[in-house]
Every structure is written in C-alpha cells, then in structure tokens.
Amino acid sequence: MKPGGTLILSAVKGADFGALPTPWPEPEADSQYFPTVNIVEADLQAALIAAGCAADSVELETVPADRPTRKYQGLMMVAARKLP
C-alpha cells in the first residue's frame, strides 16, 4: 500500500477453520475444511499499526455471527490509512 493510501478489508473473527460449501464437486472427505487465522479486533488493529497505518485512522466494526452454529464469532470490517 502506498503511503497515504487507504486499506479496506474484511476478516472472519475467531475462526479456527473454514469449510467449503457442500456438495461441492465431489470433495475428498478431509478436503472440505481449511485452516484459518484465528484473529480478533485487537490483533487486527495491532497488525495494521505495525504495518505502518496511523493508529487514529483505524476504523473497525464487528458484526456478530448470525447464529451460534457458525464456526466463527463474527465478521470484522476495517478501514485504515497508511502513514505518509
């Protein structure tokens, strides 16, 4: 990202793994799941600041998972500006 540029991203909060929707073109029994990064708001904010984003520019909002059967805690949306 260029200095002064804005990063906009979304991330899954509190997930240990992801899953492909089933049925998918005949997946192998153990290939339906893949590892993910288990990240929460504080981790994401710290990573952005460490990557050179201005701390006061980090705007983060979390939407909780829509039901308890989800294998994650929610979705995080963030915008941050890289320092010049």
Side-chain angles (χ1 to χ4, degrees):
M1 183 166 59
K2 292 182 180 181
T6 300
L7 173 71
I8 299 173
L9 67 87
S10 62
V12 177
K13 175 185 176 183
D16 293 322
F17 64 89
L20 299 174
T22 55
W24 206 54
E26 306 208 20
E28 298 294 322
D30 60 351
S31 67
Q32 296 180 46
Y33 299 99
F34 53 90
T36 60
V37 175
N38 188 336
I39 189 168
V40 296
E41 292 89 348
D43 299 328
L44 184 53
Q45 184 170 13
L48 291 169
I49 293 168
C53 291
D56 64 349
S57 76
V58 178
E59 296 181 38
L60 194 140
E61 184 173 331
T62 300
V63 177
D66 60 348
R67 58 184 176 266
T69 56
R70 295 284 190 202
K71 302 297 185 191
Y72 55 87
Q73 296 173 15
L75 300 174
M76 299 181 291
M77 281 69 69
V78 66
R81 183 181 37 80
K82 182 139 179 155
L83 290 168

